[in-house]
Amino acid sequence: METQRFGTFLNGEIWPDQQGVHINAHGGGILFHQGRYYWYGEHKVAGTAGNAALVGVHVYSSPDLMAWKDEGIALSVSEDPTSDICKGCVLERPKVLFNSRTGKFVLWFHLELRGRGYEAARCGVAVSDSPVGPFRFLGSLRPNAGALPRATHFSANPDIEFDGHEQDYFLKRDLPGGQMARDMSLFQDEDGTAYLIFASEENRTLHLSRLSDDYLAHTGDYVRIFPGRSNEAPALCAVQGHYWMITSGCTGWAPNPARAATAPSLTGPWTELPNPCRGTNPANGLGPEKTFGGQSTFILRVETPHPHYVALFDLWRPDNAIDGRYIWLPIDFTSESHPIVRWTDRQAI
Ligand code: GAL
């Protein structure tokens, strides 16, 4: 067994920050801004209590993805019991983009209201002048109320006429109040347009929703992806003129096989590809059938020495949430006709 030391991360092991404390940024995402990487994630506490948000969104920064400085809590939960993000809510999968038009950092996350399990299915948004916060919570909502998705061939019913197709039922039900939004990620296209992609319609269908120019609101322009396929944990990237997505199936904290998909345009058509995973995590004996014990959260574009892509997974520990681990694996776009994510013991960057 390799000796672990600062700056060498082993997948699925403890990942120390510069103080030697295991990084506490689960379900996270990374922003690259002015030569520095910022890692935002769910701050978890010990035990099963840690599955709820008792602290907020934690942020770390690094020049090289190896030395991580603890930058503290970027968005704190509120002590005010009337706040949507009051302590004890569920605040998951935070992601941040920088908006060059407004000069602001915008944080989106999955929010469940305290004491209501997972029924609220909202997205929340917060804004900051600095990448490390403090972020100011602006509100939470179910997006795209009253708006029909772009009619596409993804749906069994391209005109969304609700003529009895089962997979359109929840879309129609939620049309007046807005669509459900659970596991999510942000994506910024080359032209600066930002999208929120999230598990909607009772986790049955992904929605990719275009955000306003300031990234603070949904526009009502959205597409449905793989209706009825029950994808969650979506992560997106753009490589060589194509868009790529990694997702999981829906089995809560328990791992399941990862999925991959590609499209020539964000709005599709999306084509599902084979499970990208190869190899085995020796610590738990799990391979592609369980995504090495992990679940996707983000695809990181690493800028040096040349742009390449790394898939980020969480290895959840719901019985002791703070002990959740990270698995970062390179995405190989060259070796087969679809992307390959091969197990390596060492964190790949
Ligand atoms: C998972 C989801 C996690 C969390 C969990 C709760 O499916 O990916 O983010 O919501 O369910 O059971």
Side-chain angles (χ1 to χ4, degrees):
M1 185 76 175
E2 193 169 345
T3 312
Q4 190 171 334
R5 59 184 169 79
F6 164 67
T8 301
F9 294 128
L10 299 180
N11 278 318
E13 302 286 326
I14 293 289
W15 285 20
D17 67 9
Q18 282 183 317
Q19 261 81 55
V21 177
H22 183 45
I23 291 171
N24 195 342
H26 309 268
I30 301 213
L31 170 73
F32 183 68
H33 183 71
Q34 293 182 349
R36 221 171 156 83
Y37 296 93
Y38 295 87
W39 178 356
Y40 304 85
E42 304 159 24
H43 179 104
K44 304 239 186 218
V45 302
T48 55
N51 296 315
L54 300 174
V55 177
V57 175
H58 208 134
V59 58
Y60 296 79
S61 77
S62 173
D64 55 9
L65 298 163
M66 297 297 258
W68 287 101
K69 179 180 178 208
D70 184 350
E71 300 277 7
I73 302 303
L75 173 70
S76 296
V77 294
S78 172
E79 295 293 336
D80 174 357
T82 66
S83 167
D84 288 357
I85 58 163
C86 73
K87 197 172 172 178
C89 68
V90 169
L91 197 168
E92 294 180 336
R93 299 184 174 272
K95 307 286 183 301
V96 172
L97 290 179
F98 175 66
N99 187 308
S100 56
R101 292 185 192 92
T102 62
K104 305 277 187 199
F105 297 84
V106 180
L107 163 67
W108 283 90
F109 53 90
H110 167 205
L111 177 70
E112 298 292 345
L113 302 175
R114 186 171 71 174
R116 288 179 45 187
Y118 275 78
E119 73 173 30
R122 295 194 194 190
C123 50
V125 59
V127 69
S128 170
D129 294 326
S130 156
V132 296
F135 281 79
R136 186 165 54 86
F137 176 60
L138 298 179
S140 78
L141 78 164
R142 282 192 173 188
N144 297 322
L148 284 172
R150 285 196 197 190
T152 70
H153 56 278
F154 309 140
S155 173
N157 174 4
D159 299 322
I160 315 291
E161 284 170 347
F162 311 120
D163 59 358
H165 286 286
E166 192 193 343
Q167 64 263 50
D168 294 337
Y169 172 81
F170 296 108
L171 180 79
K172 181 186 181 190
R173 181 196 68 184
D174 294 334
L175 207 48
Q179 300 295 326
M180 301 177 87
R182 291 204 182 107
D183 279 9
M184 62 178 57
S185 198
L186 279 173
F187 181 75
Q188 191 176 44
D189 212 355
E190 266 181 14
D191 65 0
T193 309
Y195 299 83
L196 193 72
I197 183 167
F198 48 92
S200 192
E201 302 179 43
E202 302 286 359
N203 293 346
R204 283 170 170 77
T205 299
L206 292 172
H207 287 191
L208 179 90
S209 174
R210 186 166 61 81
L211 299 178
S212 54
D213 286 351
D214 61 9
Y215 300 174
L216 300 179
H218 291 259
T219 55
D221 178 18
Y222 68 106
V223 294
R224 301 166 84 208
I225 302 176
F226 300 132
R229 180 70 173 114
S230 296
N231 284 289
E232 60 178 15
L236 278 176
C237 68
V239 185
Q240 295 158 0
H242 274 70
Y243 296 87
W244 306 87
M245 177 159 56
I246 295 179
T247 65
S248 73
C250 293
T251 52
W253 301 118
N256 58 58
R259 301 164 177 184
T262 189
S265 147
L266 272 176
T267 53
W270 284 92
T271 305
E272 188 162 345
L273 301 169
N275 183 334
C277 297
R278 299 286 183 278
T280 303
N281 175 353
N284 56 19
L286 300 178
E289 76 294 348
K290 298 281 182 201
T291 314
F292 318 115
Q295 187 183 28
S296 46
T297 183
F298 193 73
I299 298 175
L300 167 64
R301 179 183 148 109
V302 182
E303 304 299 329
T304 54
H306 51 81
H308 58 287
Y309 296 84
V310 177
L312 277 52
F313 302 89
D314 290 283
L315 205 154
W316 303 113
R317 295 268 163 88
D319 293 337
N320 185 21
I322 195 173
D323 195 34
R325 306 295 176 86
Y326 312 104
I327 297 171
W328 290 15
L329 298 171
I331 308 179
D332 179 355
F333 287 99
T334 60
S335 68
E336 292 184 32
S337 56
H338 52 86
I340 298 297
V341 175
R342 194 169 278 108
W343 175 267
T344 58
D345 289 341
R346 189 185 288 263
Q347 170 227 38
I349 56 166

